[in-house]
């Protein structure tokens, strides 16, 4: 059996909505479907204002601009993340400062955040890894006492909660991704959740998203001509993509449920190996968290075991993967002055981790084959 790492799941309505979007003859941004998906996100996740974007990466870029991160400002974030988190800060001339993660969730450690704060610190970017929330109560408290902005990289955390409040709605701004590798997809796409109740920030977000122009104000009749008023770029997604996303968001709960079944199956079948001398961690969902079941990972006792398991799975045609090369050990991280040994837990976890295939439409035979194969590998140890 050949098992890919990811397989796209269609709810069945994507083609209808896409055709309808074509018929509406509004292929650029902010058409009928863009309005629909923004409304769904605002209502379902209780978000103040949502602006759809061309990607999660672009949502992060906008968020950093909106929080006025500028040259010399330091922004604390985990090293265990995708480069987009740090690129957004670099793009504005800011400096990413990498904090340590926690062993149980691989999320940023609030104690480590506090240790990294200096007079130059301007913001914290948390990353909700695998759809499990960071400790937002502690983090918001730290941010409050040092007067720091909080941006949530909630790219993986659409439709997940911390303490009954959706991820992406805790910080000043939350950033979602609808890339085809995520739970809810438009191919490429993202959203900005603006949680601060500040009309000026919302208005500036509209301008940055619309190539630095006040076109949105013009369309609403608030100004009599539209012109270049601020920095900006082209961050508005085509309505065609939002038609696809609308079909996905109609099935918010069904998609989560399907993933939960696979996740729970993995968990139940693999939990017993936690007492072995080769497996160190499988994901835990803290009591305060509700997961969206984005990722199921295994952390082994060392890198050698990880490499062997990956190789054996490959022989059985199962595409498991690893990630991330910690940002502080990447060529860019080294340019920023980081070295091996700076963040031991990040280094240890990332070098010993694999992700199992977990896609919404995974068949029972597929998940059974994956577990049977892993069990065979484990029995060899
Ligand atoms: C996927 C992802 C991104 C980037 O999202 P895109 O929509 O692909 O640009 C950023 N941060 C994290 C943590 C991600 O997983």
């Amino acid at each position: 059996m050949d098992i890919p790492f990811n397989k796209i799941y269609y709810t069945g309505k994507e083609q209808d909505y896409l055709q309808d979007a074509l018929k509406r003859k509004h292929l650029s941004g902010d058409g009928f479907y863009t309005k629909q998906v923004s409304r769904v996100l605002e209502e379902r996740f209780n978000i103040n204002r949502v602006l759809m974007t061309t990607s999660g990466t672009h949502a992060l870029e906008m968020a950093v601009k909106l929080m006025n991160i500028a040259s010399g400002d330091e922004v604390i974030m985990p090293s265990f993340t995708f480069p987009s988190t740090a690129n957004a800060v670099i793009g504005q001339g800011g400096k990413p400062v990498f904090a340590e993660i926690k062993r149980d969730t691989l999320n940023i450690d609030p104690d480590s955040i506090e240790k990294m704060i200096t007079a130059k610190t301007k913001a914290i970017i948390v990353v909700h890894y695998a759809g499990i929330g960071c400790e937002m109560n502690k983090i918001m408290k730290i941010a409050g006492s040092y007067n720091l902005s909080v941006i949530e990289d909630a790219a993986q955390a659409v439709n997940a909660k911390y303490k009954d409040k959706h991820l992406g709605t805790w910080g000043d701004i939350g950033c979602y991704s609808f890339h085809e590798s995520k739970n809810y997809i438009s191919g490429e796409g993202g959203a900005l959740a603006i949680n601060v109740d500040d009309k000026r920030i919302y208005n500036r977000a509209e301008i940055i998203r619309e190539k630095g122009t006040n076109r949105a104000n013009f369309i609403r009749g608030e100004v009599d001509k539209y012109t270049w008023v601020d920095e900006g770029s082209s961050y508005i997604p085509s309505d065609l993509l939002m038609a696809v996303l609308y079909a996905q968001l109609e099935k918010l709960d069904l998609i989560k449920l399907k993933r939960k079944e696979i996740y729970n199956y993995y968990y139940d079948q693999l939990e017993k190996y936690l007492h072995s001398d080769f497996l160190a961690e499988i994901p835990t969902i803290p009591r305060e968290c509700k997961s969206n079941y984005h990722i199921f990972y295994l952390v082994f006792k060392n890198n050698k075991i990880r490499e062997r398991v990956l190789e054996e799975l490959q022989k059985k045609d199962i595409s498991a993967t690893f990630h991330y090369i910690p940002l502080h050990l990447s060529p860019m991280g080294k340019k920023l002055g980081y070295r091996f040994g700076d963040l031991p837990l990040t280094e240890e976890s990332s070098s010993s981790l694999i992700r199992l295939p977990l896609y919404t439409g995974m068949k029972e035979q597929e998940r059974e084959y994956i577990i049977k194969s892993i069990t065979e590998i484990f029995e060899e140890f």
Side-chain angles (χ1 to χ4, degrees):
M1 207 179 297
D2 210 337
I3 314 248
F5 181 67
N6 187 34
K7 214 189 251 183
I8 286 177
Y9 174 78
Y10 291 130
T11 65
K13 286 286 197 178
E14 285 83 356
Q15 289 221 9
D16 290 351
Y17 295 154
L18 198 46
Q19 251 163 18
D20 182 56
L22 287 167
K23 276 197 210 129
R24 287 172 182 272
K25 302 210 166 165
H26 180 123
L27 307 191
S28 62
D30 286 336
F32 175 79
Y33 284 101
T34 311
K35 288 183 184 124
Q36 295 294 314
V37 292
S38 313
R39 191 184 45 86
V40 172
L41 294 174
E42 283 170 359
E43 284 175 4
R44 290 295 306 270
F45 302 164
N46 202 12
I47 301 170
N48 191 21
R49 301 300 290 268
V50 165
L51 283 173
M52 303 310 297
T53 62
T54 30
S55 67
T57 301
H58 285 165
L60 284 162
E61 285 181 20
M62 287 186 65
V64 167
K65 284 180 187 164
L66 287 166
M67 293 295 104
N68 292 312
I69 311 285
S71 185
D73 290 341
E74 294 180 357
V75 178
I76 299 171
M77 65 182 73
S79 167
F80 186 68
T81 182
F82 193 70
S84 296
T85 321
N87 270 329
V89 172
I90 299 261
Q92 290 302 102
K95 184 182 171 211
V97 173
F98 298 120
E100 188 58 288
I101 49 174
K102 296 190 54 156
R103 198 182 283 278
D104 59 345
T105 55
L106 308 183
N107 276 335
I108 195 163
D109 183 342
D111 293 338
S112 175
I113 293 177
E114 207 152 9
K115 282 187 201 132
M116 304 289 174
I117 293 173
T118 71
K120 290 182 180 165
T121 308
K122 190 84 189 268
I124 303 165
I125 306 185
V126 300
V127 178
H128 304 300
Y129 178 67
I132 305 287
C134 298
E135 291 172 87
M136 292 314 292
N137 53 347
K138 284 191 195 169
I139 293 167
M140 295 310 291
K141 211 181 261 171
I142 295 169
S145 54
Y146 292 91
N147 200 19
L148 308 175
S149 309
V150 176
I151 296 168
E152 294 175 77
D153 180 341
Q156 301 179 5
V158 179
N159 201 19
K161 286 176 172 175
Y162 180 80
K163 284 190 185 289
D164 280 327
K165 193 167 152 61
H166 275 94
L167 299 180
T169 70
W170 280 83
D172 297 281
I173 295 186
C175 303
Y176 294 129
S177 169
F178 303 108
H179 185 266
E180 77 167 47
S181 59
K182 304 298 201 280
N183 289 18
Y184 307 97
I185 63 172
S186 58
E188 303 279 356
L192 199 66
I194 301 176
N195 306 313
V196 275
D197 198 13
D198 184 341
K199 259 212 179 104
R200 283 166 309 174
I201 290 193
Y202 180 75
N203 193 233
R204 181 148 186 254
E206 284 187 322
I207 290 165
I208 289 172
R209 182 170 165 269
E210 185 77 272
K211 300 110 188 162
T213 74
N214 58 353
R215 186 164 174 270
N217 301 92
F218 175 70
I219 289 169
R220 284 197 298 269
E222 294 161 6
V223 291
D224 60 2
K225 56 183 180 302
Y226 97 80
T227 182
W228 184 27
V229 293
D230 201 341
E231 67 170 310
S233 189
S234 183
Y235 290 130
I236 305 180
S238 163
D239 214 48
L240 295 175
L241 294 176
M242 298 299 100
V244 173
L245 184 59
Y246 186 57
Q248 299 264 316
L249 296 185
E250 276 188 329
K251 302 287 181 206
L252 266 176
D253 294 334
L254 179 73
I255 288 173
K256 185 154 81 177
L257 194 69
K258 282 173 175 284
R259 301 183 76 95
K260 181 181 181 177
E261 270 178 30
I262 303 157
Y263 180 103
N264 282 346
Y265 176 75
Y266 284 160
Y267 190 94
D268 293 342
Q269 298 295 316
L270 296 173
E271 190 189 11
K272 56 178 176 279
Y273 295 104
L274 278 175
H275 307 293
S276 69
D277 54 5
F278 50 87
L279 186 64
E281 302 282 340
I282 60 176
T284 43
I285 304 176
R287 228 176 340 111
E288 301 80 16
C289 295
K290 288 203 177 71
S291 182
N292 64 2
Y293 310 99
H294 178 56
I295 289 174
F296 193 96
Y297 64 82
L298 305 169
V299 181
F300 295 98
K301 292 274 160 116
N302 58 52
N303 173 261
K304 239 193 182 142
I305 299 170
R306 191 269 298 271
E307 295 303 309
R308 192 170 144 201
V309 173
L310 273 180
E311 200 178 302
E312 293 296 324
L313 285 172
Q314 214 159 43
K315 280 189 207 154
K316 296 172 190 287
D317 296 319
I318 295 170
S319 293
T321 62
F322 66 88
H323 80 174
Y324 300 99
I325 309 280
L327 296 187
H328 76 283
L329 297 183
S330 67
M332 271 299 278
K334 287 187 177 143
K335 270 192 230 168
L336 291 169
Y338 286 93
R339 282 172 304 170
F340 185 80
D342 286 341
L343 299 165
L345 190 54
T346 299
E347 291 160 13
E348 187 191 317
S349 303
S350 63
S351 67
S352 313
L353 176 146
I354 69 165
R355 297 173 59 181
L356 295 182
L358 200 179
Y359 42 86
T360 308
M362 183 182 278
K363 295 193 187 73
E364 237 172 277
Q365 308 99 276
E366 291 178 315
R367 69 188 196 203
E368 282 166 8
Y369 175 71
I370 292 167
I371 288 297
K372 185 174 138 276
S373 303
I374 292 181
T375 308
E376 278 168 17
I377 297 166
F378 285 180
E379 296 305 318
E380 296 274 306
F381 286 138

